[in-house]
Structures are given as C-alpha cells and as structure tokens.
Amino acid sequence: MRELLLIRHGETEWSRDGRHTSYSDLALTERGEREAEALRPWLAERDIAEVLVSPMARAARTAELAGLKNPETLDDLHEWDYGGYEGITTAEIRRERPGWFLFEDGVAPGPPGHPGESPAQVGERADRVLASIGPRLGEDGGDIVLVAHAHFLRVLTARRLGLPPSAGALFRLDTGTVSRIGTEHGRPALVAWNGRVGAGGR
C-alpha cells in the first residue's frame, strides 16, 4: 500500500533563527541545500507516483535538489499565514502576549492580503489537500509526496490521523526531514517521523 511522504523544505535564514515564515519567499541556506540533496538517494529508492509542492520557492528548490520529478504546485500547501507575526520569533510575540501558543491562539492580523489564519482555517486547508489525494492513498501503487512547511504539515498530519488541528503541536518537524504516514488495519498510522534519511537516519 502506498504511503504519504511529508518533506519539510531545507533550512532558510529565518527557519534557522526561529522566525515565523509564511509568505516571505526566502531562499535556502547552503545548509538547507545540503539537507535537500541528502534526501535524494533515499527517495531514489522509493516508488513515487505523485509529487505535490507548495508554491513557495524554498519548497520547489527542496524538491528539485531532492531529485523529485514532475512536481505539481498546489496552492493549498503554503505555510500557515502568520499575518502580523511574519518574521517574528515566539519569544518576541510572548513579550506582548504571555503564554501565546500558535496552535490554540492563532495570529494577529497582518498587512493587506495577509489577515493571518486561525488553527481551524489551516485545518480546513489541510482537509482540502487530504480530500484531493485521499482516494489515491487507498490504492496500491507509488507513494504520494508533499513538499511543504512545518506548521502546515503538522496540522495536516493531525487531520490525517483524525485529530483536531491543534494536535499538530505534538509533531515537531525539522528542516530537511521526511516523515511517513501509512496505514495499519485500514486506518492511517505514523510509520516514521522527522527523519534525516541522508545522515544516518532511516
């Protein structure tokens, strides 16, 4: 049975520094490019049927360096719109909002075109992605790969496992990693999580 492979893009300057990055289209750092390239040998051994990629350049570049062929851009794979928290760290936000927690509290409104998203809104986007690929996940054949962003993929994982969007908080996801969701007894189940496959990982 095919698996759903989740790849977080390689490191950028802001991801390295803990800055929330959604609509800012930053390039990969040299380390980020190496992280993406490290995925190539492992992915080359997988039977991959479909590759869906976020519209952001950092995701597309990760897919390219990882050797993924014929990627299709899917707008719904973009990162959580952080609104007014774009480029700001959690520590900085908590100076104004003590105890702030993204997966429960959402974000402040941002500039025109970026009002920010609530956890429920991100969950709705994740549900649309899953609905679009869900029928194919139940078939035999090659894996489906999603190349996207940490917070969005964490929410998507929660939704795939039947959990609320806020449960994405349980799934830490580092840059340049691959995770696998398969099935057990006909139900979605984690197979592997947050692995660096090119550096002694699985």
Side-chain angles (χ1 to χ4, degrees):
M1 188 69 70
R2 65 180 58 190
E3 292 182 342
L4 180 61
L5 307 184
L6 309 179
I7 296 175
R8 183 184 175 190
H9 64 76
E11 180 192 80
T12 68
E13 288 186 6
W14 279 12
S15 68
R16 179 194 64 203
D17 297 341
R19 299 188 177 279
H20 291 85
T21 319
S22 52
Y23 51 83
S24 298
D25 210 0
L26 302 182
L28 301 182
T29 61
E30 290 184 7
R31 176 180 174 178
E33 296 211 344
R34 291 195 301 270
E35 288 174 339
E37 289 169 346
L39 298 171
R40 182 184 287 259
W42 185 85
L43 289 168
E45 297 179 356
R46 302 288 300 192
D47 178 13
I48 295 174
E50 189 173 352
V51 179
L52 302 173
V53 180
S54 158
M56 307 308 291
R58 58 192 182 273
R61 180 64 172 157
T62 297
E64 177 187 3
L65 292 172
L68 294 167
K69 306 298 183 183
N70 303 315
E72 176 185 348
T73 300
L74 185 64
D75 286 345
D76 271 339
L77 288 176
H78 70 77
E79 180 60 297
W80 193 316
D81 187 333
Y82 298 126
Y85 293 160
E86 184 78 357
I88 301 176
T89 67
T90 295
E92 290 169 334
I93 295 167
R94 286 180 172 170
R95 290 175 195 157
E96 301 293 330
R97 294 180 65 180
W100 174 81
F101 185 50
L102 174 67
F103 288 95
E104 293 178 357
D105 301 323
V107 299
H114 295 287
E117 288 181 295
S118 67
Q121 288 171 321
V122 180
E124 289 170 2
R125 258 200 303 124
D127 287 347
R128 288 199 298 269
V129 173
L130 291 170
S132 71
I133 64 176
R136 301 192 294 285
L137 285 173
E139 302 168 354
D140 291 327
D143 298 327
I144 297 177
V145 181
L146 306 182
V147 185
H149 312 272
H151 284 133
F152 178 76
L153 289 175
R154 291 166 68 175
V155 171
L156 181 139
T157 297
R159 298 302 299 139
R160 176 64 178 160
L161 299 177
L163 302 171
S166 60
L170 301 173
F171 304 105
R172 171 175 163 162
L173 195 57
D174 297 326
T175 57
T177 56
V178 60
S179 301
R180 299 159 55 197
I181 303 178
T183 59
E184 185 179 40
H185 305 305
R187 298 176 63 86
L190 285 182
V191 177
W193 189 256
N194 203 33
R196 294 197 179 280
V197 298
R202 61 183 185 285

